[in-house]
Amino acid sequence: MKVLGRRALMTALVLAMVLACGALAFADEAGNEYGVMIDGEYVTFTDAAPQNVEGRIMVPFRAIFESLGAEVEYAAETRTVTAALGAKTISFDVGGSEILIEEDGASQTRAMDVVPFIDEASDRTYVPTRFIAEALGFVVGWDAEAKTAVVIDPAMFDGLNEELGILSLMFQQNTDMEQVYAGQGSITLEGQMDMNQLAILQLGQAAEEDQGSISISMDGSISGMQQGNNADLDLVMPLVMSVTAEGQTIDTEMDLSMKTKLDGETMTLYLQCPLYAQMGMLEEGAWLKMDMQAFYEDMGMDVTQLMELAGSGADLEVEALLAEMLSLYADSFTVSTYQEIQSLTEVLVDCLGDEAFVQTSSGGYTVYTAEFESPSVEGVALDGSLVIRARGEVFADFDLEMNLSMEDSFNVALQARGSALTAEMSFSVIEGDAVNFVMEMSLELEEAEGTVEYQIPADAQVVDYMEWMESMLTEE
């Protein structure tokens, strides 16, 4: 809700153009069973190969530190390794489990889950790649297929704040995160699916029997209150679905309305949907409880820092945002990720960098307009335009149009506009004559009195979402 919607939209735009996956392949140039790649280049281990110890990739300390750009020293009398990179200094004793991290006068001690050791065969001191790299500020992932630890320096985004200065206006925090906001909005849905046409698209020929068609519609509303990352929302969503086949039409009405409450501090989401009770899936009045942090962790993503950043009240910067998203998707890294991000960052700058915008003035506002078109890759093309208005250096509103097309017949279109307290969005999916799907949302916010009721009643029945889902899947 509120400004987070605009920031989330622009975050999605940035990520869609930067964090993509490709199909490049690499191999450890030294021919070792396990490899370490830093910023797209394999580290060469000449006299001692990486080892897998208790699921951790251990490497000779001097080779990894120097490859990371750190200055390293070894005190033989105490068997202490010290490495410095920028403002950070780390030190640890070989055979010990603790590592001391110092930065800008502050220090902290962390425990390593695998202890550094001296390999008898090579007489080299081995350290855990992930722990060492992360202690120095790098992001580390694992490509299981390539058996390679993939290390990426978030500094690859350095300079983007300046190159994407106009786009950064979108991430300004120009509402009070301590203020309570009340919101009212609408959500509509219209969709048709011609199963006969879909069969032609998928199979290349018409089906022998009439497959019929499906249409859906919804005219709903959104209302609620939010303060910071805490929210209390009511969604009214009456859905009508019509299925037509062999000349007969069956209409079905479903009430998908729900109440949601979000505790931003604990990242706990509560959901209550009367339809679940009507279908016998939950007791009437019961709430589903979802630990959002655990939910994303199960998918290999840690969203804690991102949520803290979004709710901090500070302006988001492109560099910091991309660095956080890099950490968020670390478990999806492959040996091609660095090159993909690097290439697509160049596309982002070309499409939405400051030089891509044309600046004009209108009604006391500075108007920035960019029309972008990314190169077509394997039949996938992206184009659109973005207009940002500002008064001085303060964001006022935006208007975005974006189209994604694939192989001529499939098209996804997004239109969005809004300001700090208003938002409108239209999203459509079209696939030839087979699929036509349009969803529209709008929201207006205003300052309000009172408090946000983001906690459920103390005597409410609570059901863990993950346990509930598991029981639904295993139920005969």
Side-chain angles (χ1 to χ4, degrees):
M1 222 166 128
K2 74 180 183 59
V3 73
L4 294 182
R6 160 169 53 88
R7 290 155 70 146
L9 176 64
M10 294 314 299
T11 299
L13 172 61
V14 171
L15 294 175
M17 304 181 73
V18 177
L19 294 178
C21 295
L24 299 176
F26 298 82
D28 182 353
E29 296 170 349
N32 296 318
E33 181 180 3
Y34 300 100
V36 176
M37 176 178 281
I38 300 176
D39 289 347
E41 299 289 337
Y42 271 104
V43 177
T44 300
F45 299 97
T46 56
D47 56 357
Q51 300 180 21
N52 187 329
V53 178
E54 298 178 11
R56 297 290 184 264
I57 300 303
M58 307 292 288
V59 293
F61 82 90
R62 190 171 296 278
I64 188 65
F65 278 126
E66 292 179 349
S67 296
L68 292 171
E71 296 182 1
V72 59
E73 297 180 356
Y74 178 66
E77 62 277 8
T78 59
R79 301 208 308 175
T80 300
V81 176
T82 302
L85 180 63
K88 280 191 174 183
T89 299
I90 65 174
S91 59
F92 58 89
D93 295 333
V94 177
S97 62
E98 293 187 341
I99 182 171
L100 176 65
I101 305 172
E102 299 175 285
E103 183 176 14
D104 297 328
S107 63
Q108 59 176 311
T109 300
R110 295 182 185 175
M112 293 182 282
D113 54 2
V114 179
V115 175
F117 64 89
I118 296 177
D119 178 59
E120 294 182 359
S122 62
D123 196 31
R124 293 290 182 266
T125 299
Y126 275 70
V127 296
T129 301
R130 178 183 292 274
F131 204 96
I132 293 300
E134 289 180 344
L136 289 173
F138 292 79
V139 180
V140 184
W142 171 250
D143 186 333
E145 183 176 354
K147 295 184 178 180
T148 297
V150 180
V151 183
I152 297 179
D153 188 354
M156 70 178 300
F157 301 125
D158 286 358
L160 288 183
N161 287 343
E162 289 72 31
E163 293 186 90
L164 300 171
I166 296 173
L167 182 65
S168 296
L169 292 170
M170 297 290 299
F171 299 100
Q172 284 184 357
Q173 174 58 53
N174 34 23
T175 54
D176 183 358
M177 297 298 287
E178 299 299 321
Q179 173 66 46
V180 175
Y181 292 90
Q184 296 285 337
S186 64
I187 174 171
T188 63
L189 176 66
E190 293 288 341
Q192 298 84 36
M193 181 179 297
D194 187 323
M195 305 304 292
N196 295 298
Q197 292 295 322
L198 191 61
I200 294 174
L201 286 174
Q202 294 180 343
L203 303 176
Q205 62 183 20
E208 294 181 0
E209 299 180 357
D210 179 20
Q211 301 298 301
S213 63
I214 301 173
S215 65
I216 57 175
S217 65
M218 182 175 68
D219 187 2
S221 64
I222 307 171
S223 62
M225 302 180 72
Q226 178 174 342
Q227 182 182 34
N229 286 335
N230 299 326
D232 179 16
L233 301 176
D234 287 339
L235 287 81
V236 178
M237 300 186 295
L239 180 73
V240 178
M241 181 171 65
S242 298
V243 179
T244 300
E246 298 180 351
Q248 295 185 341
T249 300
I250 300 176
D251 294 328
T252 303
E253 296 183 3
M254 292 182 288
D255 186 1
L256 303 181
S257 300
M258 63 182 68
K259 297 179 180 292
T260 62
K261 295 178 181 289
L262 175 64
D263 183 337
E265 182 176 352
T266 63
M267 291 183 64
T268 302
L269 176 68
Y270 297 97
L271 170 68
Q272 186 184 70
C273 181
L275 180 63
Y276 295 152
Q278 295 171 15
M279 297 177 65
M281 301 166 67
L282 277 177
E283 294 292 331
E284 185 175 355
W287 289 82
L288 289 174
K289 176 183 178 181
M290 180 185 293
D291 184 335
M292 297 300 293
Q293 183 172 351
F295 177 77
Y296 283 111
E297 284 179 351
D298 286 343
M299 296 190 294
M301 298 185 292
D302 183 359
V303 298
T304 306
Q305 291 182 317
L306 190 62
M307 289 292 292
E308 291 176 352
L309 190 63
S312 66
D315 291 348
L316 296 182
E317 295 183 339
V318 174
E319 293 175 12
L321 174 64
L322 291 178
E324 290 298 335
M325 297 306 295
L326 190 68
S327 298
L328 186 64
Y329 287 96
D331 284 353
S332 300
F333 283 1
T334 70
V335 291
S336 63
T337 296
Y338 180 81
Q339 281 84 1
E340 292 162 1
I341 296 177
Q342 191 174 50
S343 297
L344 291 168
T345 300
E346 294 175 1
V347 173
L348 175 65
V349 173
D350 288 342
C351 292
L352 295 175
D354 288 358
E355 294 185 2
F357 284 89
V358 175
Q359 179 178 331
T360 58
S361 298
S362 176
Y365 291 93
T366 301
V367 182
Y368 303 97
T369 303
E371 296 183 354
F372 53 88
E373 182 176 359
S374 67
S376 178
V377 179
E378 298 183 358
V380 180
L382 175 71
D383 65 80
S385 64
L386 175 62
V387 178
I388 299 175
R389 295 201 311 163
R391 191 179 292 275
E393 297 183 357
V394 179
F395 169 83
D397 54 39
F398 77 98
D399 194 325
L400 170 69
E401 294 186 6
M402 190 163 58
N403 296 283
L404 178 70
S405 60
M406 291 185 285
E407 299 177 351
D408 298 328
S409 65
F410 186 81
N411 181 267
V412 177
L414 172 68
Q415 294 180 317
R417 59 182 56 88
S419 62
L421 298 177
T422 64
E424 297 178 21
M425 184 191 75
S426 175
F427 176 79
S428 66
V429 178
I430 298 174
E431 185 170 9
D433 295 325
V435 179
N436 192 323
F437 173 95
V438 179
M439 181 178 70
E440 296 182 344
M441 297 180 64
S442 66
L443 182 66
E444 292 188 9
L445 301 166
E446 61 180 8
E447 295 184 0
E449 300 293 333
T451 58
V452 179
E453 300 294 335
Y454 61 90
Q455 297 286 357
I456 62 175
D459 59 350
Q461 181 183 359
V462 180
V463 178
D464 182 82
Y465 175 81
M466 298 305 294
E467 294 179 0
W468 176 72
M469 282 296 297
E470 185 177 351
S471 68
M472 291 295 103
L473 293 173
T474 55
E475 191 175 86
E476 295 184 358

